[in-house]
Amino acid sequence: MKQIIVTGSRGQIGTELVTELCSRYGPEKVIATDLGTHTDFKCEFVELDVTDRTSVFNIFSRVSPGTVFHLAGVLSARGEEQPETAFNVNLNGTKNVLDAAISSGTERFIFPSTIAVFGPHTPKKNVAVDTITRPVTMYGITKLFCEQLAEYYSRKGMIDARGIRLPGIISHRTPPGGGTTDYAIDMIRSAVARRKYTCFLKKDTRLPMMYMPDAVNALVKISEVGSSSLLHRTDFNVSAFDFTPGELETELLRHFPGFEVTYRQDARQAIADSWPASVDSSCAEHEWGFAPQFDMQRMVSDMILNLRPLVKEGRSAQT
Ligand code: AKB
């Protein structure tokens, strides 16, 4: 088996995906890359800025990987604050990684897209894969373009590209940064730390979500499945459940009676309002067996179980 390169490996999903890939295939098979230097990974780590085309080409020609998981990206809220950076990282960075992967003969390009590819003209509920995609955020626009670019190269037979449109991903290990769905993690962390929480979205804003173990499994699964079963390529909707901040508050109150949430919306509300409330994951289920294990209640219980020791140790549960 050839080696695997992971970009954006120090991010929320990257840290957990690298750990899973190391335990499945062995640390010698995984090269984690990202900005910065320090990691606890068992595998080799290479400092890499995906916008630096020469460095991206250098690592791909040295490693000649079989698969790349391209996770480096700027999320929705940060993308609206820094649209130039989002454009550069999400679009130019992805083009660099795709070009370097193709020129080094990489077989598979695995890519997390997002529900942000949808926009206000998309139907709200149980949204199909092949529906209106007219995003209104820089994050959504760049991700949609990259879905289509990767699919274009795939159709031309230059690389086997696969992508999943992730919803909000909830996890306890590495905090997310700059997303709109981050409120859910912040709210759970606040409840566990017995702090009040001020939510930046309205109480009734419904968004699709998924727990990290299901997201990691989905990425690994889509990277392993044979091509013959795939009718779609880079645009699979995947989601495990959906909820509103109000519903999450109610669930947390069952564990922490007295937990207090106030609602004060900010600019992120407009981003959330442009996204679907729920998506239809049936293409992913039928074409490659997507089958999430965690519902909302199990996710909340597992988050609490994992966050409690951090609070007891006195480590801040703040993101
Ligand atoms: C974000 O909130 O920006 C991300 C996403 C839904 O893609 N979590």
Side-chain angles (χ1 to χ4, degrees):
M1 180 192 164
K2 285 181 144 190
Q3 284 179 301
I4 298 167
I5 289 182
V6 181
T7 71
S9 66
R10 296 173 75 230
Q12 183 200 11
I13 299 176
T15 46
E16 306 216 21
L17 179 70
V18 166
T19 307
E20 176 63 21
L21 295 174
C22 287
S23 77
R24 262 177 200 243
Y25 309 121
E28 70 288 353
K29 291 291 178 200
V30 185
I31 315 272
T33 73
D34 207 332
L35 300 173
T37 49
H38 177 77
T39 73
D40 298 329
F41 297 142
K42 293 196 175 123
C43 62
E44 181 185 342
F45 176 80
V46 176
E47 188 174 358
L48 181 71
D49 173 354
V50 292
T51 65
D52 175 351
R53 191 168 169 88
T54 307
S55 300
V56 175
F57 269 74
N58 283 345
I59 181 152
F60 274 83
S61 66
R62 169 168 77 81
V63 174
S64 279
T67 301
V68 54
F69 287 86
H70 174 46
L71 306 185
V74 172
L75 296 183
S76 56
R78 190 175 155 224
E80 290 311 281
E81 282 162 15
Q82 300 169 28
E84 282 298 319
T85 309
F87 186 96
N88 200 20
V89 174
N90 295 358
L91 225 139
N92 296 333
T94 301
K95 176 84 166 54
N96 290 341
V97 171
L98 268 168
D99 289 348
I102 291 166
S103 86
S104 67
T106 305
E107 197 189 322
R108 284 195 182 161
F109 173 86
I110 313 298
F111 172 69
S113 186
T114 167
I115 53 161
V117 299
F118 299 115
H121 300 283
T122 307
K124 268 283 171 210
K125 288 192 188 150
N126 208 24
V127 165
V129 168
D130 302 305
T131 182
I132 301 163
T133 43
R134 290 183 59 195
V136 289
T137 60
M138 183 57 90
Y139 176 56
I141 291 165
T142 53
K143 285 286 187 174
L144 180 61
F145 178 84
C146 291
E147 274 186 8
Q148 294 177 352
L149 184 68
E151 185 148 340
Y152 172 83
Y153 287 140
S154 227
R155 262 200 315 275
K156 296 266 174 192
M158 294 156 81
I159 197 160
D160 180 349
R162 292 134 187 240
I164 56 180
R165 290 174 176 160
L166 292 176
I169 303 298
I170 298 169
S171 66
H172 50 81
R173 193 166 144 192
T174 308
T180 302
T181 55
D182 298 2
Y183 89 82
I185 301 176
D186 295 344
M187 192 190 285
I188 300 170
R189 284 175 172 259
S190 299
V192 176
R194 311 278 171 167
R195 287 194 311 260
K196 293 179 183 172
Y197 179 65
T198 303
C199 184
F200 57 77
L201 294 185
K202 285 196 259 175
K203 195 170 183 171
D204 61 354
T205 310
R206 182 172 297 283
L207 290 169
M209 300 278 180
M210 179 152 67
Y211 197 31
M212 181 62 87
D214 287 326
V216 168
N217 276 338
L219 284 164
V220 173
K221 200 159 192 181
I222 198 170
S223 77
E224 287 181 335
V225 73
S227 313
S228 57
S229 65
L230 298 182
L231 302 174
H232 293 83
R233 282 278 163 186
T234 55
D235 55 5
F236 286 102
N237 289 351
V238 288
S239 156
F241 42 83
D242 52 82
F243 57 76
T244 65
E247 288 166 1
L248 182 59
E249 177 190 353
T250 304
E251 181 60 21
L252 287 165
L253 274 166
R254 291 197 317 110
H255 299 267
F256 305 99
F259 176 48
E260 276 179 56
V261 181
T262 48
Y263 292 87
R264 201 177 308 135
Q265 69 203 70
D266 67 17
R268 288 169 279 192
Q269 184 65 48
I271 300 176
D273 286 344
S274 75
W275 292 349
S278 59
V279 298
D280 171 9
S281 312
S282 58
C283 289
E285 288 160 17
H286 298 142
E287 292 178 41
W288 50 273
F290 170 65
Q293 302 299 303
F294 284 85
D295 60 16
M296 183 213 189
Q297 287 73 22
R298 262 195 83 198
M299 173 278 289
V300 168
S301 301
D302 199 65
M303 283 287 284
I304 293 169
L305 206 69
N306 282 283
L307 288 171
R308 259 199 180 120
L310 299 184
V311 172
K312 276 214 184 95
E313 280 168 28
R315 285 205 260 154
S316 167
Q318 231 158 354
T319 51

